[in-house]
Amino acid sequence: MDSSSTRRQNTRRKLFDAAVTLIAEQGFSSTTVDEIAERAGVAKGTVYYNFASKTDLFEELLRHGMELLTGALRAAAEETAERGGGAAEALDAMIRAGLDFVARQPSLAQLYVAELWRTNRAWRPTLTRVRQQAVEVIESVLREAAAEDDPAAGTDVALTASALFGMVLVTALDWQSFQPERSVDEVHASLARVLQGRLGGVVR
């Protein structure tokens, strides 16, 4: 990767970090491009060089963040498979990956969850697409498990995958906001116990 591409990626990362912090604090409408540029330590023109508008910046921020989460979930599943682990181990690893991601990026996760309920946003199609990509990673593991397990034949895999994805995100945000004294190990263990009880017919 050449130096100009690396510099551009670093600049975009600074702008993403500044935008997610400010928008989490003030809301999208109240956050200005000037504030984002100042927080990122760049000129205002740099923002418009990288993004057509504040809306474009925020849409790219959501896309980039969710792609990072999807990558973390996929890596957790693949690493489990490489070790010879089954579907239950892969799901457990993805739970941990999701919790770790929110612990590192709580403001981004908070913005993502908040935007899910707003249907009139310009970035709604992008948000829907990247959400589906993340859910499909979980869904693929559940489908493999269901194909091997006759008692799970009636399981609605797509809905179950969506439920798991939402549960991990919301639980992680609740943990960060209201129970920050708990360790990630505690939260992970609690979620794992819930899933072991509820998904016994899907994964073994």
Side-chain angles (χ1 to χ4, degrees):
M1 186 178 293
D2 60 40
S3 59
S4 62
S5 178
T6 301
R7 283 197 301 272
R8 187 162 188 262
Q9 285 192 3
N10 288 337
T11 298
R12 287 169 70 91
R13 190 175 300 112
K14 287 180 182 178
L15 292 170
F16 284 154
D17 290 344
V20 74
T21 301
L22 286 166
I23 294 170
E25 291 173 353
Q26 305 173 170
F28 177 78
S29 299
S30 299
T31 300
T32 66
V33 171
D34 294 88
E35 290 174 319
I36 293 171
E38 182 179 359
R39 179 70 66 93
V42 301
K44 182 177 180 179
T46 300
V47 179
Y48 289 114
Y49 177 77
N50 285 274
F51 304 99
S53 63
K54 184 179 70 170
T55 296
D56 182 50
L57 189 162
F58 189 53
E59 182 171 354
E60 283 298 298
L61 165 64
L62 291 171
R63 182 194 60 76
H64 174 70
M66 288 307 299
E67 287 180 352
L68 289 177
L69 174 56
T70 300
L73 297 176
R74 183 177 292 112
E78 290 175 350
E79 289 167 9
T80 301
E82 288 171 2
R83 294 196 304 269
E89 291 88 349
L91 286 171
D92 187 68
M94 286 192 285
I95 290 169
R96 180 58 182 249
L99 293 174
D100 286 338
F101 180 85
V102 175
R104 292 193 306 271
Q105 301 278 358
S107 295
L108 177 60
Q110 181 182 3
L111 286 177
Y112 166 76
V113 171
E115 290 302 320
L116 279 179
W117 308 111
R118 299 187 173 110
T119 59
N120 61 341
R121 300 291 207 183
W123 47 79
R124 180 71 180 183
T126 295
L127 197 59
T128 299
R129 185 176 67 254
V130 294
R131 172 203 167 275
Q132 186 58 31
Q133 289 170 353
V135 171
E136 284 175 356
V137 176
I138 303 171
E139 190 175 329
S140 65
V141 175
L142 288 173
R143 287 196 185 283
E144 290 176 9
E148 300 170 358
D149 190 12
D150 288 339
T155 300
D156 187 327
V157 173
L159 184 58
T160 302
S162 295
L164 291 178
F165 178 69
M167 183 178 71
V168 171
L169 272 182
V170 173
T171 299
L173 287 173
D174 184 89
W175 159 46
Q176 290 288 300
S177 298
F178 302 110
Q179 304 180 68
E181 72 282 358
R182 293 187 181 278
S183 69
V184 65
D185 290 333
E186 287 181 275
V187 181
H188 178 206
S190 293
L191 276 182
R193 283 193 292 271
V194 170
L195 292 180
Q196 286 164 7
R198 297 299 181 186
L199 295 178
V202 181
V203 294
R204 297 187 186 281

